[in-house]
Amino acid sequence: MYIFKIIPMMNIDGVINGNYRCSLVGSDLNRRWKNPNQQLHPVIWNMKNMIYEFGRRQQLELICDLHGHSRKKNIFMYGCEMKD
């Protein structure tokens, strides 16, 4: 059995105000994944926490980050190695 957790949009506050990458505090959330600040980047911080907690309870098979691109057509996908 597989469990899918789908987050359709992580930058809701920025997108509502016309930003694709930046949050309301002006941070490019694509560049904050490695070391998010809980106060400045709560969406990224909470997403990473959710993944970590889920991974503690069950084996993770795949984490997939889908993006659109401003100059490229279609979509692309990145995958990261999960380190113990």
Side-chain angles (χ1 to χ4, degrees):
M1 178 174 77
Y2 290 98
I3 297 171
F4 292 86
K5 294 193 179 278
I6 300 171
I7 314 312
M9 183 184 309
M10 289 182 53
N11 186 21
I12 295 170
D13 63 337
V15 171
I16 286 172
N17 290 287
N19 299 322
Y20 295 102
R21 296 174 69 133
C22 293
S23 66
L24 284 181
V25 296
S27 292
D28 182 342
L29 297 178
N30 289 334
R31 303 291 179 247
R32 301 293 178 216
W33 184 259
K34 188 173 184 178
N35 294 307
N37 178 292
Q38 186 177 5
Q39 302 303 316
L40 296 176
H41 320 109
V43 174
I44 302 297
W45 192 90
N46 285 297
M47 173 66 64
K48 287 184 77 171
N49 191 53
M50 181 189 77
I51 293 168
Y52 175 77
E53 290 298 323
F54 188 77
R56 285 181 34 166
R57 294 189 307 269
Q58 294 185 257
Q59 181 177 342
L60 290 172
E61 298 293 336
L62 175 70
I63 298 171
C64 179
D65 181 9
L66 300 174
H67 282 264
H69 194 277
S70 62
R71 294 178 301 241
K72 294 181 181 178
K73 295 182 184 207
N74 303 317
I75 62 171
F76 56 93
M77 180 174 71
Y78 285 114
C80 300
E81 179 182 349
M82 292 292 292
K83 296 180 181 178
D84 295 327

Coordinates of all heavy atoms in Angstrom, one line a residue:
M1 N 0.8 -1.2 0.0 CA 0.0 0.0 0.0 C 0.9 1.3 0.0 O 1.9 1.3 0.7 CB -0.9 0.0 1.2 CG -1.8 1.2 1.3 SD -2.9 1.3 2.7 CE -1.9 1.7 4.0
Y2 N 0.5 2.2 -0.8 CA 1.3 3.5 -0.9 C 0.4 4.6 -0.3 O -0.8 4.6 -0.5 CB 1.7 3.8 -2.3 CG 2.7 2.9 -2.8 CD1 2.4 1.8 -3.6 CD2 4.0 3.1 -2.5 CE1 3.4 0.9 -4.1 CE2 5.0 2.3 -3.0 CZ 4.7 1.2 -3.8 OH 5.7 0.4 -4.2
I3 N 1.0 5.6 0.3 CA 0.3 6.8 0.8 C 0.9 7.9 0.0 O 2.1 8.1 -0.1 CB 0.6 7.0 2.3 CG1 -0.1 5.8 3.0 CG2 0.0 8.3 2.7 CD1 0.3 5.8 4.5
F4 N 0.1 8.7 -0.6 CA 0.5 9.9 -1.4 C 0.1 11.1 -0.6 O -1.0 11.3 -0.2 CB -0.2 9.9 -2.8 CG 0.2 8.8 -3.7 CD1 -0.4 7.6 -3.7 CD2 1.3 9.1 -4.6 CE1 0.0 6.6 -4.5 CE2 1.7 8.1 -5.4 CZ 1.0 6.8 -5.4
K5 N 1.1 12.0 -0.4 CA 0.8 13.3 0.2 C 1.1 14.3 -0.9 O 2.2 14.5 -1.3 CB 1.7 13.5 1.4 CG 1.4 12.6 2.5 CD 2.0 13.0 3.8 CE 1.7 12.0 4.9 NZ 0.4 12.3 5.5
I6 N 0.1 15.0 -1.3 CA 0.2 15.9 -2.5 C -0.1 17.4 -2.0 O -1.1 17.6 -1.4 CB -0.8 15.6 -3.6 CG1 -0.4 14.2 -4.1 CG2 -0.7 16.6 -4.7 CD1 -1.4 13.6 -5.1
I7 N 0.9 18.2 -2.2 CA 0.8 19.6 -1.8 C 0.8 20.4 -3.2 O 1.8 20.5 -3.8 CB 2.0 20.1 -1.0 CG1 2.3 19.2 0.2 CG2 1.7 21.6 -0.5 CD1 1.2 18.7 1.1
P8 N -0.4 20.9 -3.6 CA -0.4 21.4 -4.9 C 0.3 22.8 -5.1 O 0.8 23.1 -6.2 CB -1.9 21.6 -5.2 CG -2.5 21.6 -3.8 CD -1.7 20.8 -2.9
M9 N 0.4 23.5 -4.0 CA 1.1 24.8 -4.1 C 1.7 25.2 -2.8 O 0.9 25.2 -1.8 CB 0.2 25.9 -4.6 CG 0.8 27.2 -4.8 SD -0.4 28.5 -5.2 CE -1.2 27.8 -6.6
M10 N 3.0 25.4 -2.7 CA 3.5 25.8 -1.4 C 3.7 27.3 -1.2 O 3.8 27.7 0.0 CB 4.9 25.1 -1.3 CG 4.8 23.6 -1.1 SD 6.4 22.8 -0.9 CE 7.2 23.7 0.4
N11 N 3.6 28.0 -2.2 CA 3.8 29.5 -2.1 C 2.5 30.2 -2.3 O 2.4 31.2 -3.1 CB 4.9 29.9 -3.1 CG 5.3 31.4 -2.9 OD1 5.1 32.0 -1.8 ND2 5.8 32.0 -3.9
I12 N 1.5 29.9 -1.5 CA 0.2 30.4 -1.7 C 0.2 31.9 -1.5 O -0.3 32.7 -2.3 CB -0.8 29.7 -0.8 CG1 -1.0 28.3 -1.3 CG2 -2.2 30.4 -0.9 CD1 -1.7 27.4 -0.3
D13 N 0.8 32.4 -0.4 CA 0.8 33.8 -0.1 C 1.5 34.7 -1.2 O 1.0 35.7 -1.6 CB 1.3 34.2 1.3 CG 2.8 33.8 1.4 OD1 3.3 32.9 0.7 OD2 3.4 34.4 2.3
G14 N 2.5 34.1 -1.7 CA 3.3 34.9 -2.8 C 2.5 34.9 -4.1 O 2.4 35.9 -4.8
V15 N 1.9 33.7 -4.5 CA 1.2 33.6 -5.7 C 0.0 34.4 -5.8 O -0.3 35.1 -6.8 CB 0.9 32.1 -6.0 CG1 0.0 32.0 -7.2 CG2 2.2 31.3 -6.3
I16 N -0.7 34.5 -4.7 CA -1.9 35.3 -4.6 C -1.6 36.8 -4.9 O -2.4 37.5 -5.5 CB -2.6 35.2 -3.2 CG1 -3.3 33.9 -3.1 CG2 -3.6 36.3 -2.9 CD1 -3.8 33.5 -1.7
N17 N -0.4 37.2 -4.5 CA 0.1 38.6 -4.8 C 0.9 38.7 -6.0 O 1.6 39.7 -6.2 CB 0.8 39.1 -3.5 CG -0.1 39.3 -2.4 OD1 -0.9 40.2 -2.4 ND2 -0.1 38.4 -1.4
G18 N 0.9 37.7 -6.9 CA 1.6 37.8 -8.2 C 3.0 37.4 -8.2 O 3.7 37.5 -9.2
N19 N 3.5 36.8 -7.2 CA 4.9 36.2 -7.1 C 4.9 34.7 -7.4 O 4.0 34.0 -6.9 CB 5.6 36.5 -5.8 CG 5.6 37.9 -5.5 OD1 5.9 38.8 -6.3 ND2 5.4 38.3 -4.2
Y20 N 5.8 34.3 -8.2 CA 5.9 32.8 -8.5 C 6.9 32.2 -7.5 O 6.6 31.0 -7.1 CB 6.3 32.6 -9.9 CG 5.2 33.0 -10.9 CD1 5.4 34.2 -11.6 CD2 4.1 32.3 -11.0 CE1 4.4 34.7 -12.4 CE2 3.1 32.7 -11.9 CZ 3.2 33.9 -12.6 OH 2.3 34.3 -13.5
R21 N 8.0 32.8 -7.2 CA 9.0 32.2 -6.4 C 9.2 32.8 -5.1 O 9.6 32.2 -4.1 CB 10.4 32.3 -7.2 CG 10.4 31.5 -8.5 CD 11.6 31.7 -9.2 NE 12.8 31.2 -8.5 CZ 13.7 30.4 -9.1 NH1 13.6 30.2 -10.4 NH2 14.7 30.0 -8.4
C22 N 8.8 34.0 -4.9 CA 9.0 34.8 -3.7 C 7.8 34.8 -2.8 O 6.7 34.9 -3.3 CB 9.5 36.2 -4.0 SG 11.1 36.3 -4.8
S23 N 8.0 34.6 -1.5 CA 7.0 34.7 -0.5 C 6.7 36.2 -0.2 O 7.3 37.1 -0.8 CB 7.4 34.0 0.8 OG 8.5 34.7 1.4
L24 N 5.8 36.4 0.7 CA 5.5 37.8 1.0 C 6.6 38.5 1.7 O 6.7 39.8 1.7 CB 4.2 37.9 2.0 CG 2.9 37.6 1.2 CD1 1.8 37.7 2.2 CD2 2.7 38.6 0.1
V25 N 7.6 37.8 2.3 CA 8.7 38.5 2.9 C 9.8 38.7 1.9 O 10.9 39.1 2.3 CB 9.2 37.7 4.2 CG1 8.2 37.7 5.3 CG2 9.7 36.3 3.8
G26 N 9.6 38.3 0.6 CA 10.6 38.5 -0.4 C 11.6 37.5 -0.6 O 12.6 37.6 -1.3
S27 N 11.4 36.3 0.1 CA 12.4 35.2 0.0 C 12.0 34.3 -1.2 O 10.9 33.9 -1.4 CB 12.4 34.4 1.3 OG 12.9 35.1 2.3
D28 N 13.0 34.0 -2.0 CA 12.9 33.0 -3.0 C 12.8 31.6 -2.3 O 13.9 31.1 -1.9 CB 14.0 33.1 -4.0 CG 13.9 32.1 -5.2 OD1 13.1 31.1 -5.1 OD2 14.6 32.3 -6.2
L29 N 11.7 31.0 -2.2 CA 11.5 29.8 -1.5 C 12.2 28.6 -2.1 O 12.6 27.6 -1.4 CB 10.0 29.5 -1.3 CG 9.3 30.5 -0.5 CD1 7.8 30.1 -0.4 CD2 9.9 30.7 0.9
N30 N 12.5 28.7 -3.4 CA 13.3 27.6 -4.1 C 14.7 27.6 -3.5 O 15.4 26.6 -3.7 CB 13.3 27.8 -5.6 CG 12.0 27.5 -6.2 OD1 11.2 26.7 -5.6 ND2 11.7 28.1 -7.3
R31 N 15.2 28.7 -3.0 CA 16.6 28.8 -2.5 C 16.6 28.7 -1.0 O 17.7 28.8 -0.4 CB 17.2 30.2 -2.9 CG 17.2 30.5 -4.4 CD 18.1 29.5 -5.1 NE 18.1 29.8 -6.6 CZ 17.6 28.9 -7.5 NH1 17.2 27.8 -7.1 NH2 17.7 29.2 -8.7
R32 N 15.6 28.4 -0.4 CA 15.5 28.3 1.1 C 15.3 26.9 1.6 O 15.2 26.6 2.8 CB 14.4 29.2 1.7 CG 14.5 30.6 1.4 CD 15.7 31.2 2.0 NE 15.9 32.6 1.7 CZ 17.0 33.2 1.5 NH1 18.1 32.5 1.6 NH2 17.1 34.4 1.1
W33 N 15.3 25.9 0.7 CA 15.0 24.5 1.1 C 16.0 24.0 2.0 O 15.7 23.3 3.0 CB 14.9 23.7 -0.2 CG 14.5 22.3 0.2 CD1 15.3 21.2 0.2 CD2 13.2 21.8 0.5 NE1 14.6 20.1 0.6 CE2 13.3 20.4 0.8 CE3 11.9 22.4 0.6 CZ2 12.2 19.6 1.1 CZ3 10.8 21.6 1.0 CH2 11.0 20.3 1.2
K34 N 17.3 24.2 1.8 CA 18.3 23.6 2.6 C 18.3 24.1 4.0 O 18.4 23.2 4.9 CB 19.7 24.0 2.0 CG 20.8 23.2 2.6 CD 22.1 23.4 1.9 CE 23.3 22.6 2.5 NZ 24.5 22.8 1.7
N35 N 18.1 25.4 4.3 CA 18.1 25.9 5.7 C 17.0 26.9 5.9 O 17.2 28.1 6.0 CB 19.5 26.6 6.0 CG 20.6 25.6 6.0 OD1 20.5 24.6 6.7 ND2 21.6 25.9 5.2
P36 N 15.7 26.4 5.9 CA 14.6 27.4 6.1 C 14.6 27.9 7.6 O 15.0 27.2 8.5 CB 13.4 26.6 5.8 CG 13.8 25.2 6.1 CD 15.3 25.0 5.8
N37 N 14.2 29.1 7.7 CA 13.9 29.7 9.0 C 12.5 29.5 9.3 O 11.6 29.9 8.5 CB 14.3 31.2 8.9 CG 14.0 31.9 10.2 OD1 12.9 32.1 10.6 ND2 15.1 32.4 10.8
Q38 N 12.2 29.0 10.5 CA 10.8 28.7 10.9 C 9.9 30.0 10.8 O 8.7 29.9 10.5 CB 10.7 28.1 12.3 CG 9.3 27.6 12.6 CD 9.3 26.9 14.0 OE1 10.3 26.9 14.7 NE2 8.2 26.4 14.3
Q39 N 10.4 31.1 11.2 CA 9.6 32.4 11.1 C 9.5 33.0 9.7 O 8.4 33.5 9.4 CB 10.2 33.4 12.1 CG 10.4 32.9 13.5 CD 9.0 32.5 14.1 OE1 8.0 33.2 14.0 NE2 9.0 31.4 14.8
L40 N 10.6 33.0 9.0 CA 10.6 33.6 7.7 C 10.1 32.7 6.5 O 9.6 33.2 5.5 CB 12.0 34.1 7.3 CG 12.5 35.2 8.2 CD1 14.0 35.5 7.8 CD2 11.6 36.4 8.2
H41 N 10.3 31.4 6.7 CA 9.9 30.4 5.6 C 9.1 29.3 6.2 O 9.5 28.1 6.1 CB 11.2 29.9 5.0 CG 12.2 30.9 4.8 ND1 13.4 30.9 5.5 CD2 12.3 32.0 4.0 CE1 14.1 31.9 5.2 NE2 13.5 32.6 4.2
P42 N 7.9 29.6 6.9 CA 7.2 28.6 7.6 C 6.7 27.4 6.7 O 6.6 26.3 7.1 CB 6.0 29.3 8.2 CG 5.9 30.6 7.4 CD 7.3 30.9 6.9
V43 N 6.4 27.7 5.4 CA 5.9 26.7 4.5 C 6.9 25.7 4.3 O 6.7 24.4 4.4 CB 5.4 27.3 3.2 CG1 5.0 26.2 2.2 CG2 4.2 28.2 3.5
I44 N 8.1 26.1 4.0 CA 9.3 25.2 3.7 C 9.6 24.4 5.0 O 9.8 23.2 5.0 CB 10.5 25.9 3.2 CG1 10.1 26.7 1.9 CG2 11.7 25.0 3.0 CD1 9.7 25.8 0.8
W45 N 9.7 25.2 6.1 CA 10.1 24.5 7.4 C 9.1 23.4 7.8 O 9.5 22.3 8.2 CB 10.1 25.6 8.5 CG 10.8 25.1 9.7 CD1 12.1 25.2 10.0 CD2 10.1 24.5 10.8 NE1 12.3 24.6 11.3 CE2 11.1 24.2 11.8 CE3 8.8 24.2 11.1 CZ2 10.8 23.6 13.0 CZ3 8.5 23.5 12.3 CH2 9.5 23.2 13.2
N46 N 7.8 23.7 7.6 CA 6.8 22.7 8.0 C 6.7 21.6 7.0 O 6.5 20.4 7.4 CB 5.4 23.4 8.1 CG 5.3 24.2 9.4 OD1 5.4 23.6 10.5 ND2 5.1 25.5 9.3
M47 N 7.0 21.8 5.8 CA 7.0 20.8 4.8 C 8.1 19.8 5.1 O 7.9 18.6 5.1 CB 7.2 21.3 3.4 CG 7.4 20.3 2.3 SD 6.0 19.2 2.0 CE 4.8 20.4 1.4
K48 N 9.3 20.3 5.4 CA 10.4 19.5 5.7 C 10.2 18.7 7.0 O 10.5 17.5 7.1 CB 11.7 20.3 5.9 CG 12.2 20.8 4.5 CD 13.5 21.5 4.7 CE 14.7 20.5 4.9 NZ 16.0 21.1 4.8
N49 N 9.5 19.3 8.0 CA 9.2 18.6 9.2 C 8.2 17.5 9.0 O 8.3 16.4 9.5 CB 8.6 19.7 10.2 CG 8.5 19.1 11.6 OD1 9.5 18.5 12.1 ND2 7.3 19.2 12.2
M50 N 7.2 17.8 8.1 CA 6.2 16.7 7.8 C 6.9 15.5 7.1 O 6.6 14.4 7.5 CB 5.1 17.3 6.8 CG 4.1 16.3 6.5 SD 2.9 16.8 5.2 CE 3.9 16.6 3.7
I51 N 7.8 15.8 6.2 CA 8.5 14.7 5.5 C 9.3 13.9 6.5 O 9.3 12.7 6.5 CB 9.4 15.3 4.4 CG1 8.5 15.8 3.2 CG2 10.3 14.2 3.8 CD1 9.3 16.7 2.2
Y52 N 10.1 14.6 7.4 CA 10.9 14.0 8.4 C 10.1 13.1 9.3 O 10.4 11.9 9.5 CB 11.7 15.0 9.2 CG 12.5 14.5 10.3 CD1 13.7 13.8 10.0 CD2 12.0 14.6 11.6 CE1 14.4 13.3 11.1 CE2 12.7 14.0 12.6 CZ 13.9 13.4 12.4 OH 14.7 12.8 13.4
E53 N 9.0 13.6 9.8 CA 8.1 12.9 10.8 C 7.5 11.7 10.1 O 7.4 10.6 10.7 CB 7.1 13.8 11.4 CG 7.6 14.8 12.3 CD 8.3 14.2 13.5 OE1 7.8 13.1 14.0 OE2 9.4 14.7 14.0
F54 N 7.0 11.9 8.9 CA 6.4 10.7 8.1 C 7.5 9.7 7.9 O 7.2 8.5 8.0 CB 5.9 11.2 6.8 CG 5.1 10.2 6.1 CD1 3.8 9.8 6.5 CD2 5.6 9.5 5.0 CE1 3.1 8.9 5.8 CE2 4.9 8.5 4.3 CZ 3.6 8.2 4.7
G55 N 8.7 10.1 7.5 CA 9.8 9.1 7.3 C 10.2 8.4 8.5 O 10.8 7.3 8.4
R56 N 10.0 8.9 9.7 CA 10.3 8.2 10.9 C 9.3 7.1 11.2 O 9.7 6.1 11.8 CB 10.2 9.2 12.1 CG 11.4 10.1 12.2 CD 11.4 11.0 13.4 NE 10.7 10.3 14.5 CZ 10.7 10.7 15.7 NH1 11.3 11.8 16.0 NH2 10.1 10.1 16.7
R57 N 8.1 7.3 10.7 CA 7.0 6.3 11.0 C 7.0 5.2 9.9 O 6.6 4.1 10.1 CB 5.7 6.9 11.1 CG 5.6 7.8 12.3 CD 4.2 8.3 12.5 NE 3.6 9.0 11.4 CZ 3.6 10.3 11.2 NH1 4.3 11.1 12.0 NH2 3.0 10.8 10.1
Q58 N 7.3 5.6 8.6 CA 7.2 4.7 7.5 C 8.4 4.9 6.6 O 8.9 6.0 6.5 CB 5.9 5.0 6.7 CG 4.6 4.6 7.5 CD 3.4 4.8 6.7 OE1 2.7 5.8 6.8 NE2 3.2 3.8 5.8
Q59 N 8.6 3.9 5.8 CA 9.7 4.0 4.8 C 9.3 4.9 3.6 O 8.2 4.7 3.1 CB 10.1 2.7 4.3 CG 11.2 2.7 3.3 CD 11.7 1.3 2.8 OE1 11.4 0.4 3.5 NE2 12.4 1.3 1.7
L60 N 10.1 5.9 3.3 CA 9.8 6.8 2.2 C 10.3 6.2 0.9 O 11.5 5.8 0.9 CB 10.4 8.2 2.4 CG 9.7 9.0 3.5 CD1 10.6 10.3 3.7 CD2 8.3 9.4 3.1
E61 N 9.5 6.1 -0.1 CA 9.9 5.6 -1.4 C 10.3 6.7 -2.4 O 11.2 6.5 -3.2 CB 8.8 4.7 -2.0 CG 8.5 3.5 -1.2 CD 9.6 2.5 -1.1 OE1 10.4 2.4 -2.0 OE2 9.6 1.7 -0.1
L62 N 9.7 7.8 -2.3 CA 9.9 8.9 -3.3 C 9.4 10.2 -2.7 O 8.4 10.3 -2.1 CB 9.1 8.6 -4.5 CG 9.1 9.6 -5.6 CD1 10.5 9.7 -6.3 CD2 8.1 9.4 -6.7
I63 N 10.2 11.2 -2.9 CA 9.9 12.6 -2.7 C 10.0 13.3 -4.0 O 11.1 13.3 -4.6 CB 10.7 13.3 -1.6 CG1 10.5 12.6 -0.2 CG2 10.4 14.7 -1.5 CD1 11.5 13.0 0.8
C64 N 9.0 13.9 -4.5 CA 9.0 14.4 -5.8 C 8.6 15.9 -5.8 O 7.6 16.3 -5.2 CB 8.1 13.6 -6.7 SG 7.9 14.2 -8.4
D65 N 9.4 16.8 -6.4 CA 9.2 18.2 -6.4 C 9.0 18.6 -7.9 O 9.9 18.6 -8.7 CB 10.4 18.9 -5.8 CG 10.2 20.4 -5.8 OD1 9.1 20.9 -6.1 OD2 11.2 21.1 -5.5
L66 N 7.7 18.9 -8.3 CA 7.4 19.3 -9.7 C 7.4 20.8 -9.8 O 6.8 21.5 -8.9 CB 6.1 18.7 -10.1 CG 5.9 17.2 -10.0 CD1 4.5 16.8 -10.3 CD2 6.9 16.5 -11.0
H67 N 7.9 21.3 -10.8 CA 8.0 22.8 -11.1 C 7.5 23.1 -12.5 O 7.8 22.3 -13.4 CB 9.5 23.3 -11.0 CG 10.0 23.4 -9.6 ND1 9.9 24.6 -8.9 CD2 10.5 22.5 -8.8 CE1 10.5 24.4 -7.7 NE2 10.8 23.2 -7.6
G68 N 7.0 24.3 -12.6 CA 6.9 24.9 -13.9 C 8.1 25.8 -14.1 O 8.7 26.1 -13.1
H69 N 8.3 26.3 -15.2 CA 9.5 27.1 -15.5 C 9.0 28.3 -16.3 O 8.2 28.2 -17.2 CB 10.6 26.4 -16.2 CG 11.9 27.0 -16.1 ND1 12.3 28.0 -17.0 CD2 13.0 26.9 -15.3 CE1 13.5 28.5 -16.7 NE2 13.9 27.8 -15.7
S70 N 9.6 29.5 -16.0 CA 9.2 30.7 -16.7 C 9.6 30.7 -18.2 O 9.0 31.4 -19.0 CB 9.7 31.9 -16.0 OG 11.1 31.9 -16.0
R71 N 10.7 30.0 -18.5 CA 11.2 30.1 -19.9 C 11.2 28.7 -20.6 O 11.3 28.6 -21.8 CB 12.6 30.6 -19.9 CG 12.6 32.1 -19.5 CD 14.1 32.6 -19.5 NE 14.9 31.8 -18.6 CZ 15.5 32.2 -17.5 NH1 15.4 33.5 -17.2 NH2 16.2 31.4 -16.7
K72 N 11.0 27.6 -19.8 CA 10.9 26.3 -20.4 C 9.5 25.8 -20.5 O 8.7 26.2 -19.7 CB 11.8 25.3 -19.6 CG 13.2 25.6 -19.6 CD 14.0 24.6 -18.8 CE 15.5 25.0 -18.8 NZ 16.2 24.0 -18.0
K73 N 9.2 25.0 -21.5 CA 7.9 24.4 -21.6 C 7.8 23.1 -20.9 O 8.8 22.5 -20.6 CB 7.6 24.2 -23.1 CG 7.5 25.5 -23.9 CD 7.1 25.3 -25.3 CE 7.2 26.6 -25.9 NZ 6.4 26.8 -27.0
N74 N 6.6 22.7 -20.5 CA 6.3 21.5 -19.8 C 6.8 21.6 -18.4 O 6.8 22.7 -17.8 CB 7.0 20.3 -20.5 CG 6.5 20.2 -21.9 OD1 5.3 20.3 -22.2 ND2 7.4 19.9 -22.9
I75 N 7.2 20.5 -17.7 CA 7.6 20.5 -16.3 C 8.9 19.8 -16.2 O 9.3 19.1 -17.1 CB 6.6 19.9 -15.4 CG1 6.3 18.4 -15.8 CG2 5.3 20.7 -15.4 CD1 5.5 17.7 -14.8
F76 N 9.6 19.9 -15.1 CA 10.8 19.1 -14.8 C 10.7 18.6 -13.4 O 9.9 19.1 -12.6 CB 12.0 19.9 -15.1 CG 12.2 21.2 -14.4 CD1 12.8 21.2 -13.1 CD2 11.7 22.4 -14.9 CE1 13.0 22.4 -12.4 CE2 11.8 23.6 -14.2 CZ 12.5 23.6 -13.0
M77 N 11.5 17.7 -13.0 CA 11.5 17.1 -11.7 C 12.8 16.9 -11.1 O 13.8 16.6 -11.8 CB 10.8 15.7 -11.8 CG 10.6 15.0 -10.6 SD 9.6 13.5 -10.8 CE 10.7 12.4 -11.7
Y78 N 13.0 17.2 -9.8 CA 14.2 17.0 -9.1 C 14.0 15.9 -8.1 O 12.9 15.8 -7.5 CB 14.7 18.2 -8.3 CG 15.3 19.3 -9.2 CD1 14.7 20.5 -9.3 CD2 16.5 19.1 -9.8 CE1 15.2 21.5 -10.1 CE2 17.1 20.1 -10.6 CZ 16.4 21.3 -10.7 OH 17.0 22.2 -11.5
G79 N 15.0 15.1 -7.8 CA 14.9 14.1 -6.7 C 16.2 14.3 -5.8 O 17.2 14.6 -6.3
C80 N 16.0 14.1 -4.6 CA 17.1 14.2 -3.6 C 17.3 12.9 -2.9 O 16.4 12.1 -2.6 CB 16.8 15.3 -2.6 SG 16.5 16.9 -3.3
E81 N 18.6 12.6 -2.6 CA 18.9 11.4 -1.9 C 18.6 11.6 -0.4 O 18.9 12.7 0.2 CB 20.4 11.2 -2.0 CG 20.9 10.0 -1.2 CD 22.4 9.8 -1.4 OE1 23.0 10.4 -2.2 OE2 22.9 9.0 -0.6
M82 N 17.9 10.7 0.2 CA 17.6 10.8 1.6 C 18.8 10.2 2.4 O 19.1 9.0 2.2 CB 16.3 10.0 2.0 CG 15.1 10.6 1.4 SD 14.6 12.2 2.1 CE 14.2 11.6 3.8
K83 N 19.4 11.0 3.2 CA 20.5 10.5 4.0 C 20.0 10.1 5.4 O 19.2 10.8 6.0 CB 21.6 11.5 4.1 CG 22.2 11.8 2.7 CD 23.3 12.9 2.8 CE 23.7 13.1 1.3 NZ 24.8 14.1 1.3
D84 N 20.6 9.1 6.0 CA 20.2 8.6 7.3 C 20.7 9.5 8.4 O 21.7 10.2 8.3 CB 20.6 7.2 7.6 CG 19.9 6.2 6.7 OD1 18.8 6.5 6.3 OD2 20.6 5.2 6.3

